[in-house]
Amino acid sequence: MSTPTPSEEHPPAVLISVTEIRRRPGSRMPVERTLVAQGLGLTDVAVPDGSAIAFTGELESIHEGVVLTGTADVPWTGACRRCLKDLEGVATIDIREVYETKPTDGETWPLDHDQVDLGPLLHDIALLALPLAPLCTDDCLGPAPEAFPAVVEGEPIPGDDPDPEPAKDPRWAALDDLEL
Ligand SMILES: [Zn+2]
């Protein structure tokens, strides 16, 4: 209980013990956890304080740590960028992250004392999931269509896949071999 209290900038910890699956690389466990949102907002959109960011997926043990895969549902509220009508929605985000005992800064997450902490991950994911320019309907013209043109920058064109699945990491291929 002598641990210093984290500052408000730190998201609350959502700890999971992975001792069981760490005994044998390749073993898995299901994971369902939530982070209660606090102070997660941008200028015009936010995850309402007190709402639940829910993760569902699994952890798989690898030699250096564990791999977390699954999806997070991120509730958000905001205003239509054209007509300013109040909006709400849920963004579903695919997650695949590695927790390891010797994490690489910016690439993998720390695994300390056989525990992973979903708090910081879900916090970051939620901020990334917020729509930057929400619309009430795709063809909302708003009060001033000429001032706010109907094409949202960065929005994918329907039928065009802007983010094809990346090539398989050779480390995963090695892992697959181990499971044979
Ligand atoms: Zn609108």
Side-chain angles (χ1 to χ4, degrees):
M1 292 301 123
S2 60
T3 314
T5 309
S7 80
E8 285 179 2
E9 286 154 29
H10 289 258
V14 179
L15 295 173
I16 301 171
S17 169
V18 295
T19 307
E20 276 305 312
I21 61 169
R22 284 278 281 154
R23 291 192 181 127
R24 192 173 155 268
S27 44
R28 300 159 187 250
M29 62 184 275
V31 175
E32 278 188 38
R33 292 296 161 96
T34 57
L35 172 70
V36 176
Q38 195 67 51
L40 273 170
L42 305 173
T43 319
D44 298 318
V45 285
V47 183
D49 283 352
S51 62
I53 298 159
F55 173 85
T56 307
E58 67 172 18
L59 278 161
E60 178 178 357
S61 179
I62 58 174
H63 283 289
E64 312 78 30
V66 292
V67 184
L68 178 79
T69 52
T71 56
D73 290 330
V74 182
W76 59 269
T77 57
C80 173
R81 71 186 286 257
R82 295 194 194 127
C83 70
L84 302 181
K85 190 164 99 178
D86 285 339
L87 297 178
E88 58 179 34
V90 176
T92 299
I93 307 298
D94 288 329
I95 292 176
R96 185 186 184 96
E97 299 287 341
V98 175
Y99 287 75
E100 52 188 0
T101 48
K102 297 192 179 83
T104 307
D105 202 22
E107 287 179 35
T108 59
W109 300 82
L111 172 62
D112 294 322
H113 305 103
D114 274 356
Q115 285 188 317
V116 301
D117 185 357
L118 259 52
L121 169 66
L122 293 178
H123 179 274
D124 289 3
I125 291 280
L127 282 178
L128 290 171
L130 290 172
L132 293 178
L135 290 171
C136 59
T137 59
D138 283 344
D139 54 0
C140 172
L141 293 178
E146 271 160 36
F148 304 96
V151 175
V152 179
E153 216 175 321
E155 204 170 73
I157 298 153
D160 189 16
D161 185 0
D163 189 15
E165 194 78 352
K168 202 174 192 186
D169 186 315
R171 286 174 298 177
W172 301 125
L175 187 67
D176 287 345
D177 290 341
L178 287 174
E179 286 177 350
L180 287 175

